[in-house]
């Protein structure tokens, strides 16, 4: 929980909001795994896969304090990689940074051996670059990345965040 947000598990009640958010090409094109349109059956599978099972490989819903779903954060793979998305109606308010900071704080607390988190964003998504910079991620390189909502792979930028630098910069112990 943050001053403006609640991070919680996704549930069946989130299908309509996820379909609406995912149908926005500005969101889908920045995600690797969201097709346009995003069918309800695929969203149900995505929600089931998102459940926390005691290890890296889960997502949390980002909701406003009134309960309205506005996005999600996730941590996947080895090395663990952060992902997030937000309803465009909420862009420009610092909510992605607020949610990702809380999500990372929780992940570092859950997994004492998690010392590094990676992230990437498509080069045509400068807002994600700003979010990652605010969180303390350092740029490590460039590459090409796929998206189900794009016709072909697109340039992306890679980052890494060390636990120690996150804890110092965000006063976490």
């Amino acid at each position: 929980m943050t001053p403006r947000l609640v991070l919680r598990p996704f549930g069946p009640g989130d299908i309509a909001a996820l379909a609406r958010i995912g149908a926005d090409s500005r969101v889908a094109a920045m995600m690797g795994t969201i097709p346009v349109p995003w069918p309800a059956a695929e969203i149900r599978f995505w929600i089931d896969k998102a459940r926390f099972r005691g290890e890296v490989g889960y997502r949390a819903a980002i909701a406003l304090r009134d309960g309205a779903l506005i996005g999600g954060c996730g941590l996947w793979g080895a090395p663990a990689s952060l992902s997030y998305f937000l309803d465009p109606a909420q862009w420009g308010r610092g909510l992605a940074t607020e949610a990702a900071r809380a999500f990372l704080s929780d992940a570092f607390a859950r997994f004492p051996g998690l010392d590094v988190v990676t992230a990437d964003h498509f080069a045509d998504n400068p807002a994600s670059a700003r979010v990652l910079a605010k969180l303390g991620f350092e740029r490590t390189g460039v590459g090409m990345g796929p998206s189900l909502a794009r016709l072909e792979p697109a340039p992306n930028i890679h980052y890494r965040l060390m636990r120690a630098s996150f804890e110092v910069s965000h006063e976490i112990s």
Side-chain angles (χ1 to χ4, degrees):
M1 193 172 305
T2 75
R4 300 182 291 174
L5 303 171
V6 174
L7 299 181
R8 60 166 175 78
F10 283 101
D14 295 324
I15 291 173
L18 286 169
R20 179 184 53 75
I21 295 167
D24 191 308
S25 61
R26 295 171 296 173
V27 174
M30 300 305 161
M31 302 293 292
T33 60
I34 296 178
V36 177
W38 198 10
E42 288 188 33
I43 295 172
R44 278 190 285 279
F45 176 76
W46 188 90
I47 287 172
D48 182 58
K49 186 178 175 186
R51 288 184 301 139
F52 181 73
R53 292 177 172 86
E55 58 190 27
V56 170
Y58 67 102
R59 295 182 185 98
I62 303 170
L64 296 174
R65 298 293 223 125
D66 67 5
L69 178 77
I70 62 166
C73 278
L75 196 60
W76 297 95
S81 183
L82 175 71
S83 63
Y84 50 88
F85 65 94
L86 204 61
D87 184 334
Q90 303 298 328
W91 289 358
R93 299 178 51 209
L95 295 173
T97 303
E98 185 175 323
R101 181 177 291 121
F103 184 84
L104 285 168
S105 293
D106 180 70
F108 284 132
R110 287 179 191 252
F111 306 110
L114 180 63
D115 292 323
V116 63
V117 173
T118 64
D120 63 69
H121 67 81
F122 287 104
D124 59 354
N125 187 357
S128 272
R130 290 188 296 276
V131 168
L132 295 173
K134 290 177 195 173
L135 295 169
F137 279 82
E138 297 176 349
R139 185 174 168 159
T140 59
V142 296
M144 298 293 284
S147 169
L148 294 178
R150 294 178 184 240
L151 295 176
E152 56 189 43
N156 64 11
I157 303 169
H158 303 267
Y159 297 83
R160 132 179 118 195
L161 174 68
M162 304 303 292
R163 171 198 283 271
S165 63
F166 180 81
E167 290 174 344
V168 167
S169 65
H170 300 286
E171 299 179 9
I172 298 168
S173 55

